Amino acid sequence: MNIQKHSENVHSICHQWCIERQTIAFVPTMGNLHAGHLKLVEKAQQLADKIVVSIFVNPLQFGENEDYSVYPRTIDEDREKLADHVVDLLFVPEVHDIYPNGPSESTIVEVPTLSGILCGASRPRHFSGVATVVNKFFNIIQPNIAVFGKKDFQQLMIIKRMVNDLNMPLTIVGEETIREQDGLATSSRNAYLTTDERERAPLLFHSLSKAKQRILSGDKQFTDIEDAMKLTLNQQKLTTEYFSIRNATDLIVADVNTKDFVVLAAVYLGSTRLIDNLSFSLK
Ligand code: PAF
């Protein structure tokens, strides 16, 4: 596997592939790879000739009191995991390569409205940090396709909106969430959970599933469903930041006319913040 640290090298390798008419699929990650990331890589392999994966813990998307400094950096293990997959180029830049003037001096990409709701309400600069770094990677790599996990549903929608708004010439693909046997979505942050928290964590998925069942069975009292699920979660000490039933196409609060739904939630178990969602349509 070709591993590169410098964006100039990555740009010239990818540019050469483009001249050779090889298509490129890109999977951006922050490392600490798990089954969910590997599924994104497998999806990318089905869609293009060349696969580029990035590992970069992006300081711009972490708030001041968030886990940037302790976010797990496991590059040796990540390389081993990727060795079983056909990855043509692994890009592992340093912060100064991506932000030559420092993150705080970087030009920012801001996707309005979508970035300020749900996760964006409690993490005000998070999504501009994500949109900015993803935009930079797209400019360096110039992929035909980029693959993102549906677990970060809001992030996926924001990237799609950015690509559409800025006429970026690539296709964004969303891949299904990978879950543990008990339903917990795979996440690098699951590693922060204590044994007791890990046992309670699947309730997040189960409450989303329960909400989905109620909606599919015709219940349109969305606020009641949200309140009931928040109560159940809070009783099990999963402190709910939000539990929200939305329109899956624009993340607007669902109403009686909604056909395509996404139910999204963010909870704290101790100091660990977990997010998850389920999307589905009424027939
Ligand atoms: O989803 C992530 O891991 C990150 O937000 C991303 C897309 C790699 C940008 O840093």
Side-chain angles (χ1 to χ4, degrees):
M1 184 167 45
N2 185 352
I3 301 175
Q4 295 290 338
K5 286 180 100 167
H6 300 293
S7 47
E8 280 174 19
N9 294 346
V10 170
H11 182 71
S12 60
I13 292 167
C14 293
H15 185 61
Q16 184 57 36
W17 285 338
C18 181
I19 290 169
E20 292 165 8
R21 296 192 179 278
Q22 308 265 13
T23 54
I24 301 173
F26 171 49
V27 180
T29 83
M30 298 208 298
N32 196 237
L33 302 181
H34 50 65
H37 295 114
L38 298 177
K39 180 126 186 278
L40 303 184
V41 174
E42 283 156 20
K43 182 73 182 178
Q45 283 165 346
Q46 294 164 13
L47 299 174
D49 302 316
K50 298 287 182 188
I51 311 304
V52 180
V53 175
S54 64
I55 294 181
F56 180 63
V57 184
N58 173 32
L60 208 59
Q61 68 188 75
F62 288 79
E64 269 173 26
N65 300 318
E66 294 184 13
D67 54 347
Y68 174 67
S69 59
V70 296
Y71 195 87
R73 288 157 172 89
T74 53
I75 185 69
D76 292 338
E77 291 89 331
D78 292 346
R79 277 165 50 176
E80 273 175 35
K81 285 178 189 158
L82 289 175
D84 294 341
H85 292 68
V86 183
V87 172
D88 298 280
L89 180 55
L90 176 61
F91 182 27
V92 283
E94 303 280 354
V95 172
H96 60 80
D97 185 298
I98 296 298
Y99 301 112
N101 301 313
S104 59
E105 289 299 311
S106 177
T107 300
I108 295 296
V109 179
E110 183 79 50
V111 178
T113 310
L114 278 179
S115 298
I117 57 174
L118 302 166
C119 289
S122 64
R123 305 183 76 191
R125 285 182 296 278
H126 172 66
F127 287 117
S128 63
V130 171
T132 301
V133 80
V134 168
N135 198 324
K136 287 169 85 73
F137 283 135
F138 287 174
N139 287 335
I140 295 164
I141 296 162
Q142 304 202 340
N144 304 85
I145 291 164
V147 187
F148 292 80
K150 286 192 187 170
K151 174 172 169 284
D152 296 298
F153 193 91
Q154 188 177 2
Q155 168 173 284
L156 175 62
M157 291 206 68
I158 286 169
I159 300 299
K160 281 184 174 170
R161 177 72 63 84
M162 172 183 82
V163 163
N164 195 45
D165 284 355
L166 299 181
N167 305 85
M168 299 168 98
L170 80 158
T171 304
I172 303 300
V173 173
E175 181 58 0
E176 296 304 326
T177 303
I178 293 273
R179 300 183 179 282
E180 307 289 347
Q181 282 202 330
D182 56 12
L184 179 65
T186 56
S187 164
S188 300
R189 291 190 169 102
N190 292 350
Y192 298 154
L193 299 171
T194 63
T195 311
D196 169 59
E197 288 165 352
R198 176 64 188 82
E199 276 171 17
R200 284 181 286 120
L203 189 64
L204 173 56
F205 171 66
H206 294 145
S207 59
L208 293 168
S209 305
K210 178 85 186 148
K212 174 180 167 181
Q213 274 169 22
R214 281 180 66 169
I215 297 165
L216 286 178
S217 66
D219 192 342
K220 293 196 186 292
Q221 303 301 317
F222 302 130
T223 309
D224 290 354
I225 299 173
E226 289 167 353
D227 289 345
M229 296 310 139
K230 280 186 219 163
L231 186 65
T232 311
L233 286 162
N234 291 339
Q235 277 168 346
Q236 293 299 316
K237 291 194 279 181
L238 280 80
T239 311
T240 313
E241 184 184 295
Y242 64 79
F243 190 104
S244 195
I245 301 170
R246 302 266 168 153
N247 189 321
T249 51
D250 52 14
L251 289 185
I252 287 179
V253 173
D255 64 26
V256 288
N257 298 315
T258 302
K259 293 270 174 291
D260 298 317
F261 288 87
V262 57
V263 187
L264 311 101
V267 299
Y268 277 92
L269 277 128
S271 56
T272 304
R273 184 175 181 278
L274 299 180
I275 59 169
D276 200 354
N277 67 81
L278 285 178
S279 53
F280 53 94
S281 298
L282 291 182
K283 292 202 180 96

